[in-house]
Amino acid sequence: MTLQQLQILTVCASTKSFSMAAQRLFLSTSSVSKSINALENEIGYEIFARSPNGIQLTEKGMELVRHARVLINEYNDILSLSDRENAVEFSCACPPLPFCSDSFAVLCNRYQNEKTMNFLLFEGSFDQCLDRVSYHNTSIAIVIVPKTNHLYCTEEMNRRGLSYAWMKTLPYYIKMRKDHPLAEVYKETHVLTPEMLEQYPMIDYRCNPDDHLQQLQTNLENHFYSKKAIHINQMERKIHCLRHTNAFSLGLGLSANLSVEKDLFCIPQENNYANIYYVYNKRIGLNPLAQEFLTLLQAELDSAQEQKEQM
């Protein structure tokens, strides 16, 4: 087993195609196929199930790829040790939550005058954030665990052998522009029914059918189902659309007055909420900068909660 074989393996797993992997690696398809066949013969089991439609990882193959990615990342870390000897480093994976990006910016400002620094903030879905921690791509992850998907999320974190801890419970809001027709109705009646919402488009993040974030939100969003749908995969674009159309969305937050949503009318949903957890790799633990970031994030969350209670 060689490092090159493991690199070929991970690219094949990502592309689900020997030919596409060959193109990315600047190799011939036969070379890629021979490398995988040799690796399978060496370890004694099938890594990929082959079919006319492409290749699919077997259960043992998934486990092998997980270890391969960790080994490749650690190998790259070893190569870059001399360049990073005195570097201040921090990395985090998180959903598109303003609290995370605000805390990250504060941390960046604290260390911007260091001689060397290497900071990374990755935004993605629940599974993508867990992947970043599992494969040592980030020090920690911040994840959203909706009430309706709590069992799946905690089982998935346990299955991966990750440590996690609760930070805050956040309510969901129905969000729309301030002069939306339903905003005036709600101000007068304090009632907003699914039948009222069905008249207007709903914005969600469902741009990719393979995105696990879609699966995690499905149960919750079904309570607010609309036959009219708008799919947007970036928060800034989503907010822009809310400000300039009669669409609505379902989003997370502690306050209806977040700066990024200052032009929106937000209606809290008392029975729909999610918990925020931080996640890290048990083998590595939490480094000092990760702990510092979590302190900043907790302060952001607590401050927003206090502002909400004073409203």
mmCIF file with all atom_site columns, all heavy atoms in Angstrom, residues 26 71 95 114 194 212 244 255:
data_model
loop_
_atom_site.group_PDB
_atom_site.id
_atom_site.type_symbol
_atom_site.label_atom_id
_atom_site.label_alt_id
_atom_site.label_comp_id
_atom_site.label_asym_id
_atom_site.label_entity_id
_atom_site.label_seq_id
_atom_site.pdbx_PDB_ins_code
_atom_site.Cartn_x
_atom_site.Cartn_y
_atom_site.Cartn_z
_atom_site.occupancy
_atom_site.B_iso_or_equiv
_atom_site.pdbx_formal_charge
_atom_site.auth_seq_id
_atom_site.auth_comp_id
_atom_site.auth_asym_id
_atom_site.auth_atom_id
_atom_site.pdbx_PDB_model_num
ATOM 1  N N   . PHE A 1 26  ? -4.297  13.289 -13.934 1.00 0.00 ? 26  PHE A N   1
ATOM 2  C CA  . PHE A 1 26  ? -3.444  13.267 -15.129 1.00 0.00 ? 26  PHE A CA  1
ATOM 3  C C   . PHE A 1 26  ? -2.813  11.883 -15.326 1.00 0.00 ? 26  PHE A C   1
ATOM 4  O O   . PHE A 1 26  ? -1.615  11.746 -15.605 1.00 0.00 ? 26  PHE A O   1
ATOM 5  C CB  . PHE A 1 26  ? -2.358  14.352 -15.031 1.00 0.00 ? 26  PHE A CB  1
ATOM 6  C CG  . PHE A 1 26  ? -2.916  15.732 -14.903 1.00 0.00 ? 26  PHE A CG  1
ATOM 7  C CD1 . PHE A 1 26  ? -2.973  16.348 -13.656 1.00 0.00 ? 26  PHE A CD1 1
ATOM 8  C CD2 . PHE A 1 26  ? -3.411  16.410 -16.001 1.00 0.00 ? 26  PHE A CD2 1
ATOM 9  C CE1 . PHE A 1 26  ? -3.506  17.629 -13.523 1.00 0.00 ? 26  PHE A CE1 1
ATOM 10 C CE2 . PHE A 1 26  ? -3.948  17.693 -15.879 1.00 0.00 ? 26  PHE A CE2 1
ATOM 11 C CZ  . PHE A 1 26  ? -4.000  18.302 -14.634 1.00 0.00 ? 26  PHE A CZ  1
ATOM 12 N N   . LEU A 1 71  ? -4.835  9.941  6.833   1.00 0.00 ? 71  LEU A N   1
ATOM 13 C CA  . LEU A 1 71  ? -3.405  9.712  6.611   1.00 0.00 ? 71  LEU A CA  1
ATOM 14 C C   . LEU A 1 71  ? -2.819  10.734 5.647   1.00 0.00 ? 71  LEU A C   1
ATOM 15 O O   . LEU A 1 71  ? -1.723  11.255 5.859   1.00 0.00 ? 71  LEU A O   1
ATOM 16 C CB  . LEU A 1 71  ? -3.182  8.301  6.079   1.00 0.00 ? 71  LEU A CB  1
ATOM 17 C CG  . LEU A 1 71  ? -3.369  7.156  7.081   1.00 0.00 ? 71  LEU A CG  1
ATOM 18 C CD1 . LEU A 1 71  ? -3.298  5.809  6.379   1.00 0.00 ? 71  LEU A CD1 1
ATOM 19 C CD2 . LEU A 1 71  ? -2.293  7.226  8.169   1.00 0.00 ? 71  LEU A CD2 1
ATOM 20 N N   . PRO A 1 95  ? -22.143 25.996 9.962   1.00 0.00 ? 95  PRO A N   1
ATOM 21 C CA  . PRO A 1 95  ? -23.226 26.384 9.044   1.00 0.00 ? 95  PRO A CA  1
ATOM 22 C C   . PRO A 1 95  ? -23.182 27.889 8.842   1.00 0.00 ? 95  PRO A C   1
ATOM 23 O O   . PRO A 1 95  ? -22.426 28.590 9.524   1.00 0.00 ? 95  PRO A O   1
ATOM 24 C CB  . PRO A 1 95  ? -24.482 25.947 9.802   1.00 0.00 ? 95  PRO A CB  1
ATOM 25 C CG  . PRO A 1 95  ? -24.090 26.085 11.240  1.00 0.00 ? 95  PRO A CG  1
ATOM 26 C CD  . PRO A 1 95  ? -22.635 25.716 11.319  1.00 0.00 ? 95  PRO A CD  1
ATOM 27 N N   . GLU A 1 114 ? 0.364   38.979 14.346  1.00 0.00 ? 114 GLU A N   1
ATOM 28 C CA  . GLU A 1 114 ? 1.364   37.923 14.505  1.00 0.00 ? 114 GLU A CA  1
ATOM 29 C C   . GLU A 1 114 ? 2.233   37.832 13.252  1.00 0.00 ? 114 GLU A C   1
ATOM 30 O O   . GLU A 1 114 ? 1.813   38.191 12.142  1.00 0.00 ? 114 GLU A O   1
ATOM 31 C CB  . GLU A 1 114 ? 0.674   36.580 14.740  1.00 0.00 ? 114 GLU A CB  1
ATOM 32 C CG  . GLU A 1 114 ? -0.091  36.479 16.047  1.00 0.00 ? 114 GLU A CG  1
ATOM 33 C CD  . GLU A 1 114 ? 0.825   36.431 17.260  1.00 0.00 ? 114 GLU A CD  1
ATOM 34 O OE1 . GLU A 1 114 ? 1.964   35.911 17.122  1.00 0.00 ? 114 GLU A OE1 1
ATOM 35 O OE2 . GLU A 1 114 ? 0.407   36.895 18.336  1.00 0.00 ? 114 GLU A OE2 1
ATOM 36 N N   . PRO A 1 194 ? -50.608 27.867 7.990   1.00 0.00 ? 194 PRO A N   1
ATOM 37 C CA  . PRO A 1 194 ? -50.008 27.298 6.784   1.00 0.00 ? 194 PRO A CA  1
ATOM 38 C C   . PRO A 1 194 ? -50.767 27.699 5.520   1.00 0.00 ? 194 PRO A C   1
ATOM 39 O O   . PRO A 1 194 ? -50.159 27.891 4.465   1.00 0.00 ? 194 PRO A O   1
ATOM 40 C CB  . PRO A 1 194 ? -50.090 25.788 7.030   1.00 0.00 ? 194 PRO A CB  1
ATOM 41 C CG  . PRO A 1 194 ? -50.094 25.646 8.515   1.00 0.00 ? 194 PRO A CG  1
ATOM 42 C CD  . PRO A 1 194 ? -50.849 26.829 9.019   1.00 0.00 ? 194 PRO A CD  1
ATOM 43 N N   . HIS A 1 212 ? -27.022 16.603 2.235   1.00 0.00 ? 212 HIS A N   1
ATOM 44 C CA  . HIS A 1 212 ? -27.661 16.053 3.434   1.00 0.00 ? 212 HIS A CA  1
ATOM 45 C C   . HIS A 1 212 ? -28.360 17.137 4.243   1.00 0.00 ? 212 HIS A C   1
ATOM 46 O O   . HIS A 1 212 ? -29.229 16.834 5.056   1.00 0.00 ? 212 HIS A O   1
ATOM 47 C CB  . HIS A 1 212 ? -26.624 15.336 4.302   1.00 0.00 ? 212 HIS A CB  1
ATOM 48 C CG  . HIS A 1 212 ? -26.085 14.096 3.667   1.00 0.00 ? 212 HIS A CG  1
ATOM 49 N ND1 . HIS A 1 212 ? -26.814 12.932 3.596   1.00 0.00 ? 212 HIS A ND1 1
ATOM 50 C CD2 . HIS A 1 212 ? -24.920 13.848 3.031   1.00 0.00 ? 212 HIS A CD2 1
ATOM 51 C CE1 . HIS A 1 212 ? -26.119 11.999 2.973   1.00 0.00 ? 212 HIS A CE1 1
ATOM 52 N NE2 . HIS A 1 212 ? -24.966 12.537 2.611   1.00 0.00 ? 212 HIS A NE2 1
ATOM 53 N N   . HIS A 1 244 ? -36.545 41.680 -1.402  1.00 0.00 ? 244 HIS A N   1
ATOM 54 C CA  . HIS A 1 244 ? -37.064 42.256 -2.643  1.00 0.00 ? 244 HIS A CA  1
ATOM 55 C C   . HIS A 1 244 ? -38.212 41.465 -3.273  1.00 0.00 ? 244 HIS A C   1
ATOM 56 O O   . HIS A 1 244 ? -38.602 41.741 -4.410  1.00 0.00 ? 244 HIS A O   1
ATOM 57 C CB  . HIS A 1 244 ? -35.916 42.400 -3.658  1.00 0.00 ? 244 HIS A CB  1
ATOM 58 C CG  . HIS A 1 244 ? -34.867 43.378 -3.235  1.00 0.00 ? 244 HIS A CG  1
ATOM 59 N ND1 . HIS A 1 244 ? -33.776 43.002 -2.491  1.00 0.00 ? 244 HIS A ND1 1
ATOM 60 C CD2 . HIS A 1 244 ? -34.772 44.722 -3.421  1.00 0.00 ? 244 HIS A CD2 1
ATOM 61 C CE1 . HIS A 1 244 ? -33.019 44.071 -2.257  1.00 0.00 ? 244 HIS A CE1 1
ATOM 62 N NE2 . HIS A 1 244 ? -33.602 45.122 -2.806  1.00 0.00 ? 244 HIS A NE2 1
ATOM 63 N N   . SER A 1 255 ? -32.433 36.604 17.688  1.00 0.00 ? 255 SER A N   1
ATOM 64 C CA  . SER A 1 255 ? -33.041 37.925 17.686  1.00 0.00 ? 255 SER A CA  1
ATOM 65 C C   . SER A 1 255 ? -33.586 38.240 16.308  1.00 0.00 ? 255 SER A C   1
ATOM 66 O O   . SER A 1 255 ? -33.023 37.853 15.300  1.00 0.00 ? 255 SER A O   1
ATOM 67 C CB  . SER A 1 255 ? -31.997 38.980 18.083  1.00 0.00 ? 255 SER A CB  1
ATOM 68 O OG  . SER A 1 255 ? -32.508 40.271 17.861  1.00 0.00 ? 255 SER A OG  1
#
